[in-house]
Amino acid sequence: MSQQKPNMAEKREHLYKVLVIGDLGVGKTSVIKRYVHQFFSQHYRATIGVDFALKVINWDSDTLIRLQLWDIAGQERFGNMTRVYYKEAVGCFIVFDVTRVSTFEAVSKWKNDLDAKVQLPDGSKIPCVLLANKCDQSKEGLVNNSSQMDEYCKDKGFIGWYETSAKENINIDEAARFLVSSILDNDKAASHDDREQDNDKLALDSTESGEGRGKGSCC
Amino acid sequence: MQQVQEDEDQQLEENEAAEAVRRKVWTWKELFDQWRRFNIDLAPKLMFCRGAMVDLLVQSRISRYAEFKAVSRLLTVLGGKLEYVPCSRSDVFSSRYVSMLEKRMLMKLIEFVLHYQDRADDYEGYKDKPFSEFLQKRKLTSTLQHFVIHSIAMVSANTPTEEALQAMQYFLKSLGRYGNTAFLWTLYGSGELPQCFCRMSAVFGGIYMLRTTADYLIVDDTNVCRGMIDSEGRRLTCKNVIMDHSYTTTHHEGIHSDRFVSRAVLITDKTVRESENEEVTFLTIPPPKPAEEPVRVLEIGHTACASPKGTYVVHLTRKSSSPDAKTDLMPAVELLCQSLEAELDYSCEKPKVLWSMFFSYQDKSDMSLEDLRAGQPGGVHVTGGPGCSVGYEHAVKQAKQIFEQICPGEEFLPPAPNPEDIIYDEPSGDNPGHSNKAGFEDNCSDELKPEESRSGNGHQFSEQEVHKCEDEGGDDSPTPEAAENVGKESSTKDENQTETVLVESISKECPQGGQEE
C-alpha cells in the first residue's frame, strides 16, 4: 500500500502519539518492533534508549499518518507513570500476557492510571485497545472466554480487544488499524468543534534547534 | 439636565446589574469538580529566556517533553496601582507612564547595561556602591528607578552597582528571544520539569518511583552510605544519595537558620488587572522600605494550564526572616484582592479569593554544598532547596556541581538522540540478544528468567536491585535529580550494540564504569 503515490497536493498528514503500557515482560516492545520494524526477537530485552518508535502509515490516498508509539521505558515496575509520559496521547494499547494472570489483573490498574492522567481535549477518555499478547501460547484466565472478555472491555472502557502474538505476527496490524480509525474519528469530530487553538505555546527545540544541535553533538 | 442625570444613574445601575450577572459566583463544589485542572506548584519558578535552564533543556533535548509560554506582561505597583513595566524598546516607546525625556534616559541606560563590561569607566566609582546611587547619578527619575531596580534588575536599592548591572544585563539579554518579556513559563507548572528530566532518565534506564518516599539511609561502619530503605520497606542499594536539606536531621548550627521563604497560593475569580488577552503575569510589589523585601507575584490562568477557565492561580513569594507567611504576605494579598473574609463585592473590580494557602519553608539556597552536607555520611549530597529566586540559575548550577562530584569529567546532560533518527538494525541471527555481550538483555523480572538474571557483565537496572542488595550496587537514587541518572545510565550503553546507532555515539562519552571504583 505504500507504493501508491497519488497526487500529493491534497495529502493530509497527522501526527498521533500512542502509548503502549502494561506490566513487565508482557511483550510491549515486541509488539512495537513487530509492528514498526517487522521483526521479532525471542530474547527478552529491556527497553533502553527508546523514547518512541515511529510508524508511517499511508492510510488512504489522501491521508498520511505518523504514529508515535511511546515506549514505557522500563517504568512499569512501579505501576505509576508521570503525566509527562501520558500527555497529549490520543490513543493507547494496554498489553497483558495471556500466560500470566497477574498481568491481566494489572490491566485495570493501568487503565485507571491512564484515565486519571490524560484525556482528549474535550475531556473524554482516550481510545484504548486491550491486547492479549502471546496468544500462540497456552492461555490462562478470563481470556479463554471471549464473551466475558467483551463484557470486561465494555465495563472498563476499552474500545476493543485483540488476541495478538508478536512472535507469530497475529492481529497486530489489525489492532493498530482499529485503534487508528478510532483516533481518526475522534480527530474529525474534534475539528468540527471550533476548539480553541493556542498559538502562543512554544516548543523550545523547534525554534532553537540550530543552537541546540550545534553544541556538543559531534563526537 | 435633570433628566440626563437620571438617565445616567439608571445606566449606572444597569451596568452594575449586568456586572453582577457577568461575574460568576463560584461554589466550592464547582471548584472541586474541576480539581483535575488545577496545577499548583509549591515553588513556582520562571525561566529566563536566555537563562541556564533554557540552555540546558535545549542542549539535552529534554525540551521536547514540555511546552512553554512566554510571560506576557510585567507589572509593578506604582502609586498604589498596578502598572505595566516597560522593558523592551517598543515597551519603552509606547509606555504612557514614561515621559519623552525618561524614554531617552531609559534607552541610554539599557544600551549601556548591555555593554557595561566594555564601559567600566562609566561606573568605576560606583562598583560597590548602592545601585540607587548610580541611577541617581545618571539622573533617572524616581519612576524609572522604580522600574529598573524592582522589575528589570530585580535587585534592591542597596545592591552593589556591579552586581545590579550584571542582573539587569541578564534580564535584558533574555528579552526578545521567545516573546516580549524575559521569561518563560512551563505549561502545567514548574513541576513539569522534574517529570521531563525523569522521562529522559527513564529512556536510558533510570528508574523513578512515584508515591514512594525514602525513609532511612543505610550506613556502613565507615560512615559511608550504602543504600536506603523506602516507605515500602524495600532496600535500595546505592553509592550516592542526593536529597533536599529538609530530609536531613542536621540543623546547620547557626548558618542561615533565620532565612525563610514566605509563600501564599490564591485561587481567584479574575485577573489582578483586566486585559484583552489571557495573560501570564509577573508582578513585583516593591517593599515599603528599601531595607525590606519585595513580594514577587505570578498569576497564571487556564491558558497556562494552571487552572480551569474563569479562575486564576496567584503565587506570592517573599524572602523572610521568620516563618510567618501570613504576616509577610497579607498586605500584598489585600492590595491585589478583595478582603479574604468578606463576601464578594460586585462593585469592586479586584479579584475575589476563592481559596488560599499560606506556608513557609527554610531557605538554604545560598549555602555551599560543603556546608549543606556537613555531618552527613559519605556519598550523601544535600541540596539547598528552591529558595526564592525568580529563575532556575542556582538550581542548575548546584545540579552541575553535584554531577561533577559524582561523575568527574563527564559531560553534563549531553544531547539525547532524536527518536526518529534511531535506526534499528535487522538482526543477522534470530536472537539479537544472544550475543555474549549481555548488557541489558537479562534485565527481566524474577519470574521470567531467574537463572539468567545476573549473568550480565554490565549494570542491571532490574528488580533484582530493588529487592536484593548484593554485590553490584546499581546506584539508583529515586530522587528528582534526574540529572545524575542520565549520565550514569548511559555509562552502560556500549553493550547495547544492536540497538541504535546514535545511542552508541553518546554512550562512548561515558565510559563503562564511570560510576564504579
Side-chain angles (χ1 to χ4, degrees), chain B residues 490-507:
Chain B
S490 51
S491 72
T492 53
K493 228 27 71 42
D494 25 0
E495 319 275 324
N496 212 4
Q497 288 190 339
T498 51
E499 196 68 24
T500 68
V501 174
L502 269 167
V503 168
E504 275 189 4
S505 65
I506 283 188
S507 67

Side-chain angles (χ1 to χ4, degrees), chain A:
Chain A
M1 75 180 184
S2 57
Q3 298 302 319
Q4 287 183 334
K5 282 205 172 170
N7 268 339
M8 297 296 283
E10 291 292 308
K11 197 140 185 148
R12 264 185 307 184
E13 280 198 33
H14 299 276
L15 177 68
Y16 294 131
K17 172 173 172 179
V18 170
L19 309 169
V20 184
I21 54 183
D23 267 11
L24 201 67
V26 296
K28 297 179 293 294
T29 307
S30 297
V31 167
I32 294 176
K33 284 194 176 161
R34 170 59 80 188
Y35 182 55
V36 177
H37 309 287
Q38 285 89 38
F39 76 82
F40 174 80
S41 151
Q42 187 98 51
H43 201 95
Y44 185 90
R45 174 199 277 272
T47 313
I48 304 288
V50 183
D51 202 353
F52 56 79
L54 191 72
K55 172 87 172 177
V56 181
I57 311 168
N58 283 298
W59 185 256
D60 55 33
S61 55
D62 51 21
T63 318
L64 184 85
I65 293 171
R66 294 159 69 81
L67 213 57
Q68 278 185 357
L69 292 149
W70 278 57
D71 210 299
I72 202 167
Q75 288 306 306
E76 65 273 55
R77 285 177 183 81
F78 300 102
N80 256 307
M81 301 294 292
T82 64
R83 218 186 48 73
V84 160
Y85 170 75
Y86 287 120
K87 78 171 175 193
E88 279 153 33
V90 294
C92 178
F93 291 112
I94 293 182
V95 189
F96 72 97
D97 175 350
V98 296
T99 68
R100 287 186 293 149
V101 179
S102 67
T103 66
F104 178 70
E105 284 159 359
V107 163
S108 70
K109 183 193 70 183
W110 284 112
K111 186 72 165 65
N112 290 338
D113 198 40
L114 173 77
D115 291 337
K117 288 174 184 158
V118 65
Q119 291 94 36
L120 293 175
D122 68 359
S124 61
K125 292 175 178 175
I126 69 168
C128 185
V129 173
L130 182 60
L131 301 185
N133 196 36
K134 307 193 188 176
C135 71
D136 54 294
Q137 298 180 41
S138 65
K139 289 173 246 175
E140 279 184 28
L142 196 67
V143 70
N144 284 305
N145 183 327
S146 88
S147 65
Q148 278 185 16
M149 278 297 285
D150 290 344
E151 194 61 30
Y152 177 87
C153 283
K154 209 175 146 194
D155 195 42
K156 301 283 178 192
F158 289 94
I159 59 166
W161 70 283
Y162 286 83
E163 286 190 359
T164 57
S165 165
K167 188 182 174 194
E168 305 296 335
N169 197 13
I170 299 171
N171 267 345
I172 303 217
D173 284 340
E174 289 77 0
R177 205 169 305 133
F178 181 65
L179 181 64
V180 169
S181 55
S182 170
I183 292 170
L184 276 169
D185 288 346
N186 283 334
D187 211 15
K188 273 176 201 144
S191 54
H192 286 306
D193 306 347
D194 36 356
R195 172 154 57 98
E196 268 179 75
Q197 280 294 328
D198 192 346
N199 296 322
D200 298 339
K201 283 186 190 172
L202 296 166
L204 300 188
D205 38 357
S206 60
T207 39
E208 294 285 328
S209 58
E211 269 186 48
R213 279 161 196 236
K215 216 172 173 181
S217 56
C218 44
C219 44

Side-chain angles (χ1 to χ4, degrees), chain B residues 318-425:
Chain B
R318 179 193 186 272
K319 203 183 259 183
S320 182
S321 56
S322 67
D324 186 358
K326 212 158 186 173
T327 308
D328 285 340
L329 297 172
M330 210 40 143
V333 173
E334 280 169 352
L335 174 81
L336 300 174
C337 304
Q338 297 186 18
S339 164
L340 283 189
E341 312 301 331
E343 289 291 303
L344 172 61
D345 175 0
Y346 288 104
S347 64
C348 177
E349 282 191 359
K350 288 180 176 181
K352 172 75 190 151
V353 177
L354 307 173
W355 178 88
S356 65
M357 164 171 86
F358 293 84
F359 64 97
S360 296
Y361 55 86
Q362 275 204 306
D363 180 5
K364 307 223 170 180
S365 58
D366 284 345
M367 278 174 70
S368 71
L369 287 177
E370 285 63 40
D371 285 344
L372 281 164
R373 70 167 308 283
Q376 297 298 324
V380 174
H381 308 262
V382 180
T383 63
C388 63
S389 59
V390 173
Y392 293 98
E393 279 47 42
H394 184 70
V396 171
K397 195 174 135 204
Q398 202 160 62
K400 275 186 183 160
Q401 283 175 342
I402 294 174
F403 178 81
E404 184 60 31
Q405 287 176 6
I406 297 174
C407 308
E410 304 290 349
E411 190 182 353
F412 185 62
L413 287 175
N418 190 340
E420 301 190 17
D421 295 342
I422 293 179
I423 299 155
Y424 287 80
D425 286 343

